Amino acid sequence: MTDPTAIQPSELDQLPDRDPEETAEWQASLDAVTKAAGPHRAAYLMRRTLERAEGNGIALPKLLETDYVNTIPTAAEPVVDGDEEMERKITAWNRWNAAAMVTRGSKYGVGGHIATFASAAWLYETGFNHFFKGKEADGSGDQLYIQGHASPGIYARAFLDGRLSEQHLDHFRQESGGNGLPSYPHPRRLPWLWEFPTVSMGLGPLSAIYQARFNRYLTNRGIKDVSQSHVWAFLGDGEMDEPESTAALALASREGLDNLTFVINCNLQRLDGPVRANFKIVQELEAQFRGAGWNVIKSLWGSAWDELFQLDTTGALVRRLRQVPDAQVQTYQTRDAAYIRQDFFGADPALVEMAKLLSDDKILECFHLSRGGHESRKVYAAYKAAVEHKGAPTVILAQTVKGFTLGQGFASKNANHQMKKLTVDEFKQMRDLLELPISDSRFADGVVPYGHPGADAPEVRYLQERRAALGGPAPARRTHALAPLPAPADKTFASFDKGSGSQNVATTMAFVRLVKDLVRDKQTGRRWVPIVPDEARTFGMESLFPSLGIYSPKGQTYEPVDRDQLMYYKEAKDGQILNEGITEAGSMADFIAASTAYATHGEAMIPFYIFYSMFGWQRTADQMWQLGDQLGRGFLVGATAGRTTLTGEGLQHADGHSPVIAATNPAALSYDPAFAYEIATIVKDGLRRMYGEAAPGEDPNVFYYLTVYNEPMPQPAKPAGLGIDQGIVKGLYRFNTAESAGLSPVANAARIQLIGSGTAIHWTLAAQKLLAEEWGVAADVWSATSWTELRRDALEADAALLRGEERVPFVRQALHGAEGPVLAVSDYMRQVPDQIAQWVEQDYSSLGADGFGLSDTREAARRHFGVDAQSIVVAALAQLARRGEVQASAVKEARERYGL
């Protein structure tokens, strides 16, 4: 058995020691210090030695944790560039109005959060007064990802600034009347204020990293110099448990994103209780971020602690601070001095002696009030160090008290996230604590008043002067009056109208070919942002590598293994492709940053993100809602789509439902095109709507979801006739009739309308031929490019009828007069085509690939789900037999003939 006290071999034993005697002397010195002064002194000396080594540029692995003290000592804090007393008054007004707004709203039952901003007030105020650049600053100003639950404090500041009125505050979380404020940061609901929706926990930090990265992308590609923009993400310590919160930390450090700062409000509480009841969340986060290569700044203790640290000549205080779990720190916040003396100081004789030198008031000041995140000097020092740090992103771990200044009934209580109001007496106590000039007479009928010193008060003038110096109001979103992007030449799209002739082409390849042509456009080609999660070769995009280049801030520092090949792997500092590796979440964050650059930076970019359709909406639907919330524009492309086209991959890769999920998102225009010319028509119209001249009543702030297939099939020419393009865009058009297809059913034959989408159109066309040649039934074939858009149009028509307006849904107009019943078929669940059922005047039925996917050949999978051509024939005959238009025996005969 190994002796645990013995010195174990290490990796250093593999390296030759050129001076063993010197090594032994160093080791002996460490042993001597440990024996004479104790292990804590030895550890202190080792840390100072490592600190000196790092300062001298000696390459050594870094410690992942430091002591539970501030990174920046009090003596090293810079002088705050401003009027600290004036900023204290501003912060007091904002604290008051944030609490008043939520309390006043509670009588309507709309809720709200008070405690989060109370803990984070100085984290925001210090930034607004000194660091956050507005839209008139160099570049595009800073990008602020505000913690969602802190929104009342941001509204309170906008009220003090004159950007919001009392009426606005009184409609917090009451938006339906038109004057309300959304509960959380929400650009779609308040587009002049909010830039980034953040309250879906974890998406804020992930998006902030990729926004900072996209800023570098814009600069390096010469689109716009935004090198002066800084991204600030305000996060909660509990939020860091979300996997998305830390998913891209390595990317940020790997690419040296020193234009990024995370500010984590470590109030040690999440929604139900402590974040790390038996541990220390600050230490855990420090290790995690240091390990990922970030610069870490801890701002834990306020200036009241300086005296205690000066008395700590043995290191006992620092050791005790590392020992006490977070839940106990939270308990100290609510207990008296006697309890703290016994539980905290009583744990070590040296601390017992220290406590004798401290008054009860001093102990309570330290343990109840004095936190690094509650002092402007501490926060200012941390922010200044963050923006001046070069070569790596910075995280600031600021310790605060949740519910600070709201009284002992709120501070550090487990339930304070659900506590929505203060009593009048509690507000009066808060008023006295904050030293606000609000008289008792203003509490009329028990209603808490808003507080404002006046539009020309010194506090307001100071606030506005500080913001003017920093480039204007913040947060703020600007909708730039951008000129429409020039439309690409018609020939780019028209080249798909003639079809592929005898060549089989998958619609995935058709889309990629279209993009290849579009990125060559001299006027708009450079604005395309191709995004792919390590599947470019799967989608046939490797030919874009040498021509566009893969973005890398370091360029290509190696010789690629395939350098002698035509389509070699080319990385470049000004590369256009974002190849993210295996991260759909990261790719979506890229897409969001690119799709909103028209507002964030005043630069219209055209992102397209291509991915396995199964791993889009199913895996990252939350981000797709975030995209819609942020008013993003661009093209999402679900490739290798459908339940039966991806042979061999089986259940986990078989997508039978992404259009169902996409249909739930009002900002997503979901299309399931069957042919190459349909794709070209949809993309052309999408570019017009999102980046060109939107028609009256059209919202340009939408994004397109196209499903494309990896199954090579003949691509027909676009049918001649009026209204084809309109039908493609609106969602439905007649592809052919039995007669135009060259089929000759018998006279007075029964007729049926077959509607197919995506790859299902090919089985539908095969069924059309079988019905005519073997059963004497005439079938017309329709292409449904978008079941969802047809449904939305019909819903709008229904709403118009309720308003007294006459309007017929497009799907009913298109099918009006079509003879016989309708049978709809797709490679998706039946509820996809069933979206339009109630508006079809004919008898309606559908076929689809319901259930789980499976591994097999395409033919076998389609037979399994009952969507192949023969199954369509049997379903069509059954539908006609129910109407008495064919003999019932034909259905049985067909089943037997086709082995169904």
Side-chain angles (χ1 to χ4, degrees):
M1 184 174 179
T2 303
D3 180 0
T5 63
I7 297 176
Q8 302 298 315
S10 76
E11 69 275 10
L12 295 179
D13 292 331
Q14 302 176 59
L15 305 177
D17 188 346
R18 67 180 186 182
D19 193 341
E21 185 176 348
E22 181 183 34
T23 303
E25 290 175 357
W26 277 81
Q27 292 171 336
S29 297
L30 179 62
D31 293 343
V33 170
T34 304
K35 183 176 181 180
H40 301 299
R41 177 61 179 170
Y44 175 83
L45 292 175
M46 288 298 298
R47 288 197 298 272
R48 296 309 297 264
T49 301
L50 287 171
E51 183 181 87
R52 177 58 63 87
E54 183 178 353
N56 289 337
I58 299 173
L60 287 172
K62 294 183 178 180
L63 293 175
L64 294 184
E65 287 187 37
T66 60
D67 284 327
Y68 203 69
V69 297
N70 294 347
T71 302
I72 302 172
T74 300
E77 292 171 3
V79 176
V80 176
D81 180 22
D83 186 331
E84 292 183 70
E85 175 59 21
M86 190 65 69
E87 292 174 21
R88 185 197 65 77
K89 292 180 180 179
I90 292 171
T91 306
W93 285 117
N94 292 339
R95 286 183 182 278
W96 177 273
N97 287 320
M101 174 175 56
V102 176
T103 297
R104 287 166 68 119
S106 66
K107 68 179 180 181
Y108 301 108
V110 296
H113 301 286
I114 302 179
T116 295
F117 178 72
S119 67
W122 276 113
L123 302 181
Y124 291 105
E125 289 301 324
T126 303
F128 284 128
N129 288 322
H130 300 282
F131 294 95
F132 304 158
K133 295 186 287 292
K135 293 296 183 182
E136 282 80 39
D138 291 341
S140 304
D142 288 355
Q143 289 82 57
L144 308 180
Y145 288 77
I146 305 294
Q147 191 178 0
H149 293 143
S151 63
I154 308 305
Y155 290 140
R157 194 172 214 274
F159 169 65
L160 194 66
D161 192 15
R163 293 200 289 165
L164 291 176
S165 66
E166 286 194 16
Q167 183 183 25
H168 285 118
L169 299 191
D170 265 345
H171 285 82
F172 174 61
R173 292 192 169 193
Q174 299 172 71
E175 299 179 77
S176 59
N179 294 315
L181 299 178
S183 51
Y184 302 123
H186 209 305
R188 189 168 285 276
R189 291 299 181 209
L190 202 62
W192 60 268
L193 181 72
W194 298 120
E195 281 194 286
F196 308 107
T198 54
V199 83
S200 188
M201 299 283 183
L203 299 191
L206 179 68
S207 292
I209 290 173
Y210 280 90
Q211 181 66 58
R213 197 283 198 89
F214 191 74
N215 289 358
R216 291 281 171 85
Y217 173 90
L218 286 178
T219 301
N220 289 339
R221 287 197 55 221
I223 302 291
K224 182 178 182 179
D225 183 359
V226 293
S227 56
Q228 297 305 306
S229 292
H230 200 88
V231 177
W232 299 83
F234 289 83
L235 317 168
D237 46 1
E239 180 179 4
M240 301 311 294
D241 283 347
E242 289 284 3
E244 294 88 353
S245 294
T246 55
L249 298 187
L251 168 72
S253 60
R254 183 168 66 245
E255 298 203 359
L257 298 181
D258 50 24
N259 60 338
L260 171 67
T261 297
F262 275 15
V263 181
I264 303 181
N265 178 16
C266 297
N267 57 35
L268 314 185
Q269 287 184 251
R270 52 187 175 201
L271 308 191
D272 287 334
V275 178
R276 292 291 182 272
N278 297 296
F279 305 92
K280 302 191 79 63
I281 186 60
V282 168
Q283 299 300 92
E284 179 181 320
L285 291 173
E286 178 184 27
Q288 192 169 16
F289 278 86
R290 282 187 185 277
W294 286 53
N295 174 45
V296 179
I297 298 173
K298 294 196 290 192
S299 183
L300 307 180
W301 307 112
S303 55
W305 284 81
D306 289 348
E307 178 183 342
L308 275 67
F309 288 123
Q310 288 298 315
L311 295 173
D312 186 28
T313 57
T314 65
L317 177 61
V318 172
R319 290 196 299 274
R320 183 65 178 140
L321 289 174
R322 291 196 64 171
Q323 293 168 356
V324 177
D326 284 350
Q328 191 64 18
V329 174
Q330 182 183 350
T331 297
Y332 293 150
Q333 179 69 33
T334 65
R335 303 301 290 269
D336 59 19
Y339 178 89
I340 298 171
R341 285 183 186 276
Q342 179 181 351
D343 190 86
F344 181 84
F345 292 96
D348 187 297
L351 294 180
V352 171
E353 294 303 313
M354 180 188 295
K356 293 177 181 178
L357 304 175
L358 304 174
S359 67
D360 285 356
D361 287 345
K362 181 66 176 180
I363 289 175
L364 292 178
E365 180 187 13
C366 289
F367 284 85
H368 283 189
L369 303 175
S370 188
R371 300 289 188 273
H374 294 323
E375 293 190 14
S376 61
R377 283 176 173 260
K378 305 293 184 185
V379 178
Y380 182 91
Y383 285 7
K384 192 170 189 295
V387 297
E388 292 177 353
H389 185 82
K390 300 303 177 185
T394 293
V395 59
I396 296 169
L397 304 174
Q399 186 161 268
T400 66
V401 174
K402 193 167 186 178
F404 187 67
T405 73
L406 299 180
Q408 286 301 97
F410 255 88
S412 285
K413 293 298 177 66
N414 282 337
N416 61 20
H417 189 78
Q418 279 69 42
M419 297 163 69
K420 312 300 183 185
K421 60 184 178 180
L422 298 174
T423 66
V424 169
D425 286 342
E426 287 171 328
F427 265 107
K428 291 179 178 178
Q429 293 171 12
M430 181 182 177
R431 171 200 62 190
D432 296 341
L433 175 65
L434 298 176
E435 300 178 0
L436 290 172
I438 300 174
S439 65
D440 286 354
S441 62
R442 293 194 58 198
F443 291 84
D445 300 322
V447 177
V448 179
Y450 293 119
H452 199 293
D456 198 41
E459 298 97 314
V460 176
R461 291 201 307 272
Y462 181 88
L463 179 156
Q464 293 173 341
E465 288 168 0
R466 299 302 298 184
R467 289 311 316 156
L470 287 165
R477 181 181 183 273
R478 294 289 173 84
T479 303
H480 300 266
L482 299 178
L485 292 184
D490 282 343
K491 65 179 181 180
T492 303
F493 306 100
S495 63
F496 291 84
D497 291 352
K498 62 185 179 181
S500 63
S502 60
Q503 182 183 7
N504 288 340
V505 176
T507 51
T508 298
M509 295 300 102
F511 177 82
V512 171
R513 182 191 141 190
L514 174 62
V515 169
K516 287 179 182 177
D517 293 340
L518 291 171
V519 296
R520 294 192 188 103
D521 185 86
K522 292 182 178 179
Q523 293 182 290
T524 61
R526 65 197 296 261
R527 295 191 175 274
W528 282 85
V529 183
I531 302 167
V532 62
D534 201 36
E535 289 281 4
R537 299 182 193 278
T538 301
F539 307 135
M541 292 175 58
E542 64 270 29
S543 61
L544 297 177
F545 289 170
S547 58
L548 300 184
I550 299 165
Y551 174 73
S552 169
K554 290 190 174 182
Q556 194 153 35
T557 61
Y558 60 92
E559 183 177 354
V561 66
D562 54 358
R563 182 64 180 85
D564 57 344
Q565 298 179 15
L566 180 63
M567 294 183 287
Y568 72 97
Y569 194 83
K570 178 187 175 183
E571 295 188 83
K573 188 173 183 179
D574 61 350
Q576 193 164 350
I577 301 169
L578 293 172
N579 192 325
E580 289 305 350
I582 305 174
T583 167
E584 285 83 6
S587 299
M588 271 304 303
D590 264 336
F591 188 91
I592 291 169
S595 70
T596 54
Y598 74 92
T600 309
H601 295 299
E603 296 288 343
M605 305 299 289
I606 313 172
F608 80 88
Y609 165 35
I610 188 167
F611 49 88
Y612 270 97
S613 64
M614 184 67 167
F615 305 138
W617 285 91
Q618 174 167 302
R619 183 168 290 181
T620 57
D622 194 13
Q623 288 177 286
M624 290 164 179
W625 277 94
Q626 179 190 10
L627 167 65
D629 293 345
Q630 203 168 317
L631 288 75
R633 305 169 183 174
F635 297 95
L636 297 175
V637 184
T640 59
R643 181 142 282 166
T644 70
T645 65
L646 192 56
T647 56
E649 298 286 358
L651 185 153
Q652 195 172 21
H653 285 64
D655 173 21
H657 52 276
S658 68
V660 178
I661 308 174
T664 65
N665 190 311
L669 277 60
S670 178
Y671 287 89
D672 186 27
F675 304 125
Y677 67 79
E678 293 178 353
I679 293 173
T681 302
I682 293 165
V683 171
K684 179 181 180 181
D685 193 69
L687 290 172
R688 175 200 62 79
R689 176 170 179 170
M690 296 185 291
Y691 301 96
E693 297 284 358
E698 277 187 330
D699 182 3
N701 299 316
V702 295
F703 60 93
Y704 283 65
Y705 176 55
L706 281 71
T707 49
V708 294
Y709 298 82
N710 68 327
E711 184 174 10
M713 300 293 286
Q715 296 298 323
K718 181 189 288 189
L722 297 174
I724 296 296
D725 285 0
Q726 180 193 39
I728 291 172
V729 172
K730 284 185 171 292
L732 183 68
Y733 69 97
R734 181 154 47 195
F735 176 72
N736 69 16
T737 64
E739 291 74 17
S740 67
L743 303 173
S744 301
V746 298
N748 299 317
R751 185 173 289 270
I752 190 169
Q753 307 299 317
L754 302 179
I755 305 179
S757 71
T759 196
I761 201 79
H762 299 286
W763 329 324
T764 307
L765 289 168
Q768 179 191 42
K769 184 175 182 182
L770 288 174
L771 283 166
E773 295 179 349
E774 299 187 12
W775 304 98
V777 172
D780 301 337
V781 173
W782 300 70
S783 178
T785 54
S786 179
W787 309 98
T788 302
E789 287 306 295
L790 291 173
R791 175 179 175 80
R792 288 176 177 170
D793 172 79
L795 289 171
E796 290 172 6
D798 286 355
L801 285 173
L802 293 176
R803 296 192 300 267
E805 303 171 17
E806 287 295 328
R807 181 173 164 189
V808 179
F810 178 80
V811 64
R812 184 167 293 171
Q813 294 178 45
L815 290 170
H816 180 67
E819 185 181 345
V822 170
L823 176 60
V825 189
S826 87
D827 201 24
Y828 289 95
M829 306 168 79
R830 286 179 58 184
Q831 66 193 91
V832 175
D834 284 351
Q835 291 180 86
I836 67 170
Q838 72 187 80
W839 294 281
V840 175
E841 60 187 22
Q842 296 87 347
D843 291 341
Y844 186 90
S845 64
S846 64
L847 297 175
D850 285 74
F852 290 109
L854 75 167
S855 301
D856 213 315
T857 64
R858 291 177 177 129
E859 293 76 14
R862 285 159 191 166
R863 176 56 60 91
H864 170 81
F865 287 111
V867 293
D868 61 344
Q870 292 79 7
S871 298
I872 295 172
V873 169
V874 172
L877 293 173
Q879 200 170 359
L880 290 167
R882 286 194 296 271
R883 295 163 56 91
E885 297 179 18
V886 301
Q887 295 294 320
S889 60
V891 182
K892 181 176 183 295
E893 182 183 348
R895 281 200 304 266
E896 293 173 352
R897 181 183 301 183
Y898 300 135
L900 296 176

